[in-house]
Amino acid sequence: PYRLVAGELAGERYRRLWLRPERERIIPVLVPRTILRSYNDGMAGPNGLPRVSERGAVGFGLRLLMGKSSLRTLPGHEEADAVVAGFTDQVDSFALILPLDLVTGYNRKFLKQQRNEYQYAYVKVRDHASLLAIAPRIRALGLVVETGKGVSRQILSLTETILLISRSLQAVVILLALIAVSFATVIATMSRVEYYRILRVIGASRLFLTAAILIKYAILGLAGAWAGSALLGLAAGRFAEHFRLTGIMVPVAVPADLFRTVLLLGALIPVLSALPALVRLYFKGLSAD
């Protein structure tokens, strides 16, 4: 009905068209946002297809077949021009939404007995307490009740659990990487004490040696972070190329902000890890001229 979707129609022309589609002989259709999100997130990215925005999709033309499909063709089937008149959250289903009067007319034409057939009924309630009160009454009528809120809570709980596990694994990997880099930096610094002493003998100052060590580890860390990010992006790209599954997105590109953060941390971690070794080297390893 028009009153249910009037606010979802994109413009006055589509509102008039919804009320009287015979004026322009074009059938306006509303598309659930679920379909658009499923296409953009599940098909466009993994399959290299362009993403579609709501604003760009409004006005798209299509051919609408009524009474004919790949499974069955009814006598007197019709083919008409249609246009995307907007997107809606009122109906969360993989189906095009058409004007009620138009569908009622098609039902009268294609059904031997003039009746309406329904697969789903959407019931809006004020709050969750009302949902709990109404659901048993609907079940008492012999109907199946699917509550979106209950499913949403389960999905959110599962998402939070998976996110917690993922972040825990990330924290463990980062901690192990920090320990490995710290030990490698300390060992590399202390193993070259004799070399630094020779430089000290030939005239290098402690400040120069300290700055040289810090700059060296900063460059090594920066290069390692860049190489690791590039290798990860290449591996993800190859994985997405050979294991392209509809509905599964493999992120290939690293966002610019995250990439800069990785480079900064990659340069800082070795430098900070070298500070304890440098303090010991500064006051003890190079104390004797």
Side-chain angles (χ1 to χ4, degrees), residues 199-281:
L199 293 179
R200 183 85 170 94
V201 169
I202 63 177
S205 64
R206 293 181 181 180
L207 181 61
F208 172 79
L209 292 177
T210 302
I213 294 172
L214 293 178
I215 293 174
K216 178 183 72 172
Y217 286 131
I219 294 176
L220 288 175
L222 187 66
W226 180 85
S229 299
L231 182 61
L232 181 61
L234 179 62
R238 292 295 176 88
F239 180 83
E241 181 180 352
H242 291 88
F243 299 91
R244 184 175 298 173
L245 299 176
T246 302
I248 299 178
M249 294 185 63
V250 179
V252 177
V254 179
D257 295 340
L258 179 60
F259 183 68
R260 287 193 293 266
T261 302
V262 169
L263 293 183
L264 179 61
L265 292 177
L268 284 179
I269 290 173
V271 171
L272 297 177
S273 301
L275 289 179
L278 286 175
V279 171
R280 182 179 179 185
L281 182 67

Side-chain angles (χ1 to χ4, degrees), residues 5 8-32 54-66 79-88 95-99 102 106:
V5 297
E8 310 283 355
L9 296 171
E12 186 61 31
R13 181 204 170 210
Y14 295 114
R15 295 188 184 96
R16 292 196 303 267
L17 196 60
W18 192 272
L19 293 172
R20 296 186 61 186
E22 71 279 359
R23 292 181 59 182
E24 300 184 31
R25 297 189 178 182
I26 298 178
I27 298 175
V29 298
L30 279 173
V31 181
E54 291 187 17
R55 183 176 180 181
V58 171
F60 273 6
L62 60 143
R63 298 292 292 170
L64 191 64
L65 296 174
M66 301 300 293
E79 183 175 356
D81 291 324
V83 62
V84 176
F87 293 84
T88 180
L96 294 179
I97 303 168
L98 279 69
L102 185 71
Y106 280 124

Side-chain angles (χ1 to χ4, degrees), residues 1-176:
Y2 173 78
R3 60 183 177 79
L4 182 65
V5 297
E8 310 283 355
L9 296 171
E12 186 61 31
R13 181 204 170 210
Y14 295 114
R15 295 188 184 96
R16 292 196 303 267
L17 196 60
W18 192 272
L19 293 172
R20 296 186 61 186
E22 71 279 359
R23 292 181 59 182
E24 300 184 31
R25 297 189 178 182
I26 298 178
I27 298 175
V29 298
L30 279 173
V31 181
R33 288 188 173 89
T34 303
I35 296 180
L36 184 64
R37 287 193 292 266
S38 299
Y39 168 77
N40 284 333
D41 298 337
M43 293 187 63
N47 295 284
L49 300 173
R51 296 176 67 88
V52 177
S53 65
E54 291 187 17
R55 183 176 180 181
V58 171
F60 273 6
L62 60 143
R63 298 292 292 170
L64 191 64
L65 296 174
M66 301 300 293
K68 179 180 180 181
S69 71
S70 57
L71 299 178
R72 186 182 178 189
T73 300
L74 298 178
H77 67 273
E78 293 186 8
E79 183 175 356
D81 291 324
V83 62
V84 176
F87 293 84
T88 180
D89 289 320
Q90 298 292 335
V91 179
D92 188 13
S93 179
F94 274 68
L96 294 179
I97 303 168
L98 279 69
L100 179 61
D101 293 341
L102 185 71
V103 176
T104 302
Y106 280 124
N107 281 346
R108 292 195 187 99
K109 177 178 180 180
F110 293 124
L111 298 177
K112 294 181 180 180
Q113 298 179 0
Q114 293 187 7
R115 67 184 188 276
N116 288 319
E117 294 184 349
Y118 299 96
Q119 289 182 326
Y120 302 97
Y122 292 88
V123 181
K124 282 191 172 183
V125 296
R126 291 191 304 270
D127 49 30
H128 187 66
S130 301
L131 174 64
L132 297 178
I134 292 176
R137 300 183 183 181
I138 297 179
R139 291 191 183 96
L141 298 175
L143 303 176
V144 177
V145 178
E146 296 180 358
T147 58
K149 291 184 178 293
V151 175
S152 298
R153 284 199 301 271
Q154 296 175 9
I155 293 176
L156 289 176
S157 178
L158 178 62
T159 303
E160 292 175 356
T161 302
I162 295 176
L163 185 60
L164 178 61
I165 295 174
S166 175
R167 288 180 176 175
S168 300
L169 293 176
Q170 290 177 5
V172 171
V173 172
I174 292 174
L175 180 61
L176 293 177

